[in-house]
Amino acid sequence: MTSTFYITTAIDYPNGAPHVGHAYEKIAADAIARFRRLEGDEVRFLTGTDEHGLKMMQTAQKQGLTPFDWATKNADRFKEMDALLGVSYDRFIRTTDADHIAACQAIWRKMKEAGDIYLSAYSGWYSVRDEAYYAEDETTVNPDGVRLGPQGTPVEWTEEKSYFFRLSAYQQELLDWYEAHPDFIQPESRRNEVLSFVRGGLQDLSISRTTFSWGVPVPEDEEHVMYVWVDALTNYITGCGYPDESSDSFRKWWPAALHVIGKDIIRFHAVYWPAFLLSAGLELPHAIFAHGFIHNRGEKMSKSVGNVVDPFDLIRAYGVDALRYFLLREVPFGQDGSYSHEAIVARTNADLANDLGNLAQRSLSMIAKNLGGALPAPGPLSEADAEILASADAMHDKVREAMQGWQLHQAIAVIWSVVADANRYFAASAPWELRKTDPERFGTVLWITAEVIRQVGILAQPIIPVSAGKLLDLLAVPADARSFAALGGAGRLTPGTALPAPVGVFPRYVEPEAV
Ligand code: ME8
């Protein structure tokens, strides 16, 4: 029986070009989406851009563009990045899309009907220059007695009409939900962080603004636009058919199986979002996974430091699959990780070019040269043959287990440990000697090696889709025999199959000056 799996990423602020952190999240969500498709699930994968808010408006003004044109220009860059990375989304949502505006207004009305939205006043230290409110402890008083915000601009005590969401009413319901659904917030460290925040008490949330207009108008009170997070979070339900709750699409996909987000926005997703959904009478997503941050050589990336890594540069320098492999293998999913040229070169050359690439190249060339390119038939299996075949057959269960906790790096480790075993098996079997001394064993060793590579290729598709596809092409695995259903004994390579001439699939990275 196939099940449905609806996965989403955060929607990025298109207030500039994408950086490697944006790329990382999309790659990870894409790997999970591809994994579930290969497991046989029906998958819907949503990503997009979060286009409203004061900052978007301000930057657009500086560029001499309308906010919408500025957002479009950058949203196009995000789409271009996704296309290059092979991000297999089903919809790229923009929060300026007409159906999204309708969805935001619909959920707002539901929350209002539930008695959870009320008009009051928002007060705080307001900087006209920054167009932002600051908390008392973010301000300082200078020697002239002028109070300044964190950017050094003067602030005044200001009160503004604002709609509030009765978040305080949801404290217990949220805590009960977290307790009843221990996997709702992952990883564990983030769950604990959210639990202690909510236990500390929740204050009502200001959810509208009157100081700027670049946002979704509040229904029946167009002086206000919605707080950008009400608008942004709602994308997850717009993306599957809301507000038409009785539509086939909404009933099929909602609640989402997984929201993949970064650790900095866990509170919005694990506290505000479920409270909005509860208020609107909608079901809650099954899980929220917060990944860590990618740093540049251990340092936080920031525009002012000038160390922001451009994903387009990385793709050009290393290739898409090397980048995908590196980020997913090197960074334990849920923890912070670091990017450096040396680390990506080391991974690419060791794991991809040497371990998997050479094994494929050596074994397939032997078949091409000595057996006319036809897959040999295995003879009786030795203990070593049976052992490596059993390890290959056992990968699927282990990978699946790792993926139950979204441990992508662990899933890759399982596959590459079999690659390492296969290399040892190949070296110990010394097929280059068997060729003359024992042709039957020669065929057996090559068939076994090819069969292990087939299973590695199938399982590696979510991680390195293009190269894994090429590897399976070299083994003449038909398109309909590449899903996980063909793993293990179900899809063994057929002796006698004519293989295409082997070509290298995983190029070694060579420093440009060394070429
Ligand atoms: O937060 N490493 O947008 P955003 C890894 N629009 N991930 C990173 C990162 C880094 N260095 N920097 C950012 C927003 N991210 C909102 C989301 S969702 C309804 C609205 C992640 O463009 C970040 O954690 O600032 C978030 O998940 C995503 O990139 C978009 O960040």
Side-chain angles (χ1 to χ4, degrees):
M1 197 193 83
T2 59
S3 46
T4 57
F5 186 83
Y6 177 32
I7 179 170
T8 67
T9 67
I11 46 173
D12 302 323
Y13 290 128
N15 202 12
H19 57 65
V20 71
H22 292 128
Y24 172 59
E25 179 175 293
K26 276 65 203 172
I27 291 171
D30 180 65
I32 296 171
R34 286 176 187 267
F35 174 85
R36 298 303 293 232
R37 284 189 205 109
L38 289 163
E39 284 283 27
D41 287 354
E42 223 184 316
V43 172
R44 181 169 180 80
F45 178 12
L46 181 76
T47 190
T49 40
D50 181 4
E51 308 193 346
H52 291 124
L54 181 63
K55 283 200 188 128
M56 283 296 293
M57 207 172 107
Q58 287 171 332
T59 326
Q61 256 161 14
K62 280 187 209 144
Q63 308 283 328
L65 293 172
T66 64
F68 182 74
D69 287 347
W70 171 238
T72 304
K73 194 173 159 179
N74 288 308
D76 286 347
R77 288 292 279 165
F78 279 87
K79 285 184 195 165
E80 206 182 312
M81 174 185 82
D82 287 346
L84 286 173
L85 291 172
V87 178
S88 59
Y89 60 77
D90 295 291
R91 175 169 175 188
F92 189 101
I93 190 170
R94 298 182 55 184
T95 53
T96 45
D97 290 344
D99 62 343
H100 179 66
I101 311 283
C104 292
Q105 295 187 327
I107 194 174
W108 181 286
R109 288 196 175 99
K110 286 276 175 181
M111 298 192 292
K112 185 126 199 248
E113 281 162 22
D116 286 329
I117 293 183
Y118 61 92
L119 188 62
S120 180
Y122 187 71
S123 55
W125 293 102
Y126 185 73
S127 158
V128 179
R129 230 170 299 157
D130 301 352
E131 289 193 58
Y133 278 96
Y134 296 111
E136 177 109 10
D137 62 7
E138 290 178 287
T139 67
T140 47
V141 179
N142 77 5
D144 301 331
V146 180
R147 192 174 283 271
L148 303 174
Q151 318 281 351
T153 57
V155 293
E156 311 167 39
W157 186 257
T158 308
E159 286 196 356
E160 179 194 343
K161 270 193 302 181
S162 170
Y163 285 97
F164 279 77
F165 174 74
R166 227 177 275 287
L167 185 63
S168 57
Y170 285 92
Q171 181 180 6
Q172 198 50 49
E173 221 174 318
L174 287 171
L175 289 171
D176 293 346
W177 183 268
Y178 304 145
E179 188 170 350
H181 302 86
D183 294 335
F184 182 62
I185 306 165
Q186 294 175 66
E188 188 72 23
S189 54
R190 299 292 155 214
R191 173 182 156 81
N192 294 337
E193 178 186 315
V194 170
L195 283 179
S196 68
F197 172 72
V198 176
R199 284 194 190 118
L202 295 174
Q203 296 195 339
D204 289 353
L205 191 67
S206 162
I207 54 164
S208 75
R209 299 286 183 268
T210 55
T211 45
F212 62 93
S213 57
W214 180 237
V216 180
V218 166
E220 285 83 54
D221 191 350
E222 303 224 337
E223 199 192 327
H224 295 250
V225 292
M226 291 182 198
Y227 171 47
V228 70
W229 276 100
V230 175
D231 164 358
L233 291 161
T234 301
N235 94 86
Y236 300 130
I237 49 177
T238 311
C240 65
Y242 192 79
D244 190 353
E245 287 179 55
S246 58
S247 65
D248 289 346
S249 169
F250 192 75
R251 288 169 43 176
K252 176 170 180 179
W253 298 112
W254 193 256
L258 182 65
H259 292 320
V260 176
I261 54 158
K263 64 177 185 178
D264 58 327
I265 54 174
I266 186 73
R267 190 176 294 178
F268 300 99
H269 284 80
V271 183
Y272 300 175
W273 180 228
F276 296 161
L277 290 167
L278 287 169
S279 171
L282 295 168
E283 285 181 78
L284 305 197
H286 290 300
I288 299 160
F289 190 98
H291 60 75
F293 264 43
I294 303 295
H295 298 306
N296 184 350
R297 294 179 185 275
E299 255 185 79
K300 202 173 166 185
M301 283 187 285
S302 91
K303 277 193 192 151
S304 51
V305 177
N307 64 347
V308 178
V309 180
D310 176 355
F312 294 97
D313 287 346
L314 297 184
I315 295 168
R316 261 191 301 274
Y318 309 108
V320 174
D321 280 354
L323 178 62
R324 290 176 62 113
Y325 181 84
F326 169 75
L327 289 171
L328 300 179
R329 176 69 186 92
E330 189 86 2
V331 186
F333 200 46
Q335 294 176 32
D336 290 346
S338 204
Y339 157 82
S340 74
H341 170 72
E342 295 75 16
I344 188 166
V345 169
R347 275 287 175 198
T348 304
N349 287 350
D351 296 12
L352 297 180
N354 285 356
D355 291 356
L356 183 53
N358 276 352
L359 181 68
Q361 184 69 19
R362 290 174 74 196
S363 53
L364 295 176
S365 312
M366 280 186 194
I367 295 175
K369 276 194 205 125
N370 303 292
L371 302 169
L375 260 176
L381 300 192
S382 70
E383 211 174 296
D385 301 330
E387 204 178 309
I388 186 69
L389 191 59
S391 302
D393 290 353
M395 276 190 296
H396 185 199
D397 280 349
K398 292 186 187 166
V399 164
R400 194 187 267 150
E401 196 186 318
M403 289 301 289
Q404 248 153 27
W406 320 111
Q407 296 300 289
L408 286 155
H409 62 291
Q410 202 56 50
I412 301 174
V414 166
I415 304 169
W416 258 260
S417 96
V418 172
V419 172
D421 289 346
N423 271 298
R424 278 189 287 273
Y425 161 83
F426 193 76
S429 308
W432 50 91
E433 285 167 13
L434 296 173
R435 183 168 62 92
K436 292 182 210 122
T437 58
D438 191 343
E440 189 186 52
R441 284 244 13 97
F442 178 65
T444 306
V445 170
L446 289 176
W447 182 86
I448 291 271
T449 306
E451 170 61 16
V452 175
I453 296 172
R454 176 186 76 89
Q455 298 203 45
V456 166
I458 288 177
L459 281 164
Q461 291 174 101
I463 312 298
I464 46 171
V466 176
S467 329
K470 284 187 193 161
L471 206 54
L472 296 171
D473 289 345
L474 293 181
L475 292 169
V477 176
D480 62 1
R482 295 183 178 195
S483 80
F484 292 174
L487 288 166
R492 294 275 189 247
L493 287 172
T494 314
T497 306
L499 303 185
V503 288
V505 172
F506 299 101
R508 275 189 80 73
Y509 180 88
V510 183
E511 295 298 340
E513 63 269 26
V515 178

